[in-house]
Amino acid sequence: FPVTITAYIVVLLSFFYGETNAQSKLFTGIGSWHDAARWSPSGVPTSTDIVLIAAGASITLSTNATCDSVYFQPGSTASTLTISNAVKLTINKGIAFSNPTANVTQLINVGSGEVECLGITMPDLTSGRVNKVTVSSGNVTLNGNLSMLGSTSENIIEYTSAGRFRLGGNWTTAGGSFTMGTSTFEYFANSTQAISSRTYNKLILTGGIKNPSGTVICNDSLIINARATLNNSGTASLTMNGVFCIAGTYIEGSTSG
């Protein structure tokens, strides 16, 4: 694959996730993550490899794997990474989507599997193009930041069942759509975190001070674990339509429900 594209990817990932001298491996076609022949250069990625997903590629991960980072290359055909049931993909750094060159979707289908990484970056896209993560009963853990810079029709995270999303950093967004379904969303950093202005199903706060950034709605429950503080003393509003459980600290402000 072109050196110029590889160089661009390394610079991009370095900016977001601190990449240094990791080797790139490009997956093309349709097949298994574990098929060495699908990768260029040949060989299944290791924990030190940057994974490049070519436009038009469809990858299925059927046993646990670890890599350095994942990047979707731009192109005119859709590309997909599917995680099989009860399988975990560990990404030491981040996932970076890109802006396709046609109206297609770059998709990570977690399903009932699991993904753990440092962060996810979804850029602002040309209208009609989509970056998407779908989850049913599986788990996604971000030890760093979630960045959704596109519109609600361009950057999409969708839960269709009672999965779990854990965020250890901040949620940077100019838009984006997060469909919670019956999922659980947990802010777990031991430092201060902003709670994104969203409608949550079940919201759990663990460790550190949590500051709502706007209107926060909890349809099922809100749980403040021990050693966590929900600081609702500002202008943000909190609406609870279910259970409110406080094991930590709650600083009251505008609350309803």
Side-chain angles (χ1 to χ4, degrees), residues 4-236:
T4 53
I5 294 295
T6 304
Y8 167 76
I9 291 163
V10 171
V11 169
L12 175 69
L13 292 171
S14 177
F15 177 79
F16 285 112
Y17 304 117
E19 295 290 348
T20 53
N21 297 315
Q23 174 181 252
S24 299
K25 294 242 178 183
L26 175 68
F27 188 99
T28 57
I30 300 171
S32 170
W33 177 290
H34 314 283
D35 181 357
R38 283 288 173 193
W39 297 96
S40 178
S42 181
V44 177
T46 68
S47 61
T48 60
D49 291 327
I50 299 172
V51 167
L52 309 178
I53 301 175
S58 180
I59 312 173
T60 300
L61 183 74
S62 56
T63 61
N64 294 347
T66 302
C67 66
D68 180 86
S69 49
V70 171
Y71 175 77
F72 282 84
Q73 289 191 327
S76 61
T77 50
S79 46
T80 303
L81 169 59
T82 299
I83 314 298
S84 297
N85 178 41
V87 170
K88 181 176 181 178
L89 175 59
T90 302
I91 303 167
N92 293 328
K93 296 189 176 72
I95 299 169
F97 289 85
S98 67
N99 187 8
T101 60
N103 293 347
V104 297
T105 298
Q106 297 172 349
L107 171 67
I108 297 179
N109 179 16
V110 179
S112 54
E114 183 175 358
V115 171
E116 180 174 359
C117 63
L118 182 60
I120 293 177
T121 300
M122 294 179 171
D124 190 10
L125 305 180
T126 304
S127 179
R129 301 165 193 185
V130 178
N131 299 155
K132 188 173 185 179
V133 177
T134 60
V135 190
S136 56
S137 58
N139 300 312
V140 175
T141 297
L142 304 189
N143 295 309
N145 299 330
L146 171 61
S147 179
M148 302 174 76
L149 302 178
S151 71
T152 57
S153 62
E154 296 168 356
N155 295 171
I156 300 168
I157 298 178
E158 181 179 45
Y159 275 76
T160 60
S161 189
R164 192 180 190 100
F165 192 100
R166 303 179 68 242
L167 182 61
N170 291 311
W171 191 342
T172 303
T173 176
S177 170
F178 198 123
T179 302
M180 300 288 175
T182 56
S183 67
T184 297
F185 195 106
E186 180 183 5
Y187 290 88
F188 69 91
N190 289 322
S191 56
T192 300
Q193 283 180 287
I195 301 175
S196 183
S197 178
R198 301 277 168 170
T199 297
Y200 299 85
N201 179 56
K202 183 177 183 179
L203 179 60
I204 298 178
L205 309 179
T206 303
I209 299 172
K210 316 301 179 188
N211 299 312
S213 61
T215 299
V216 174
I217 300 172
C218 300
N219 284 332
D220 179 88
S221 57
L222 170 60
I223 299 172
I224 305 173
N225 283 329
R227 296 184 297 280
T229 297
L230 174 56
N231 179 16
N232 195 38
S233 62
T235 59

Side-chain angles (χ1 to χ4, degrees), residues 230-234 236 238 240 244 249-256:
L230 174 56
N231 179 16
N232 195 38
S233 62
L238 176 62
M240 291 172 292
F244 189 17
T249 302
Y250 175 61
I251 302 173
E252 190 169 4
S254 175
T255 305
S256 63

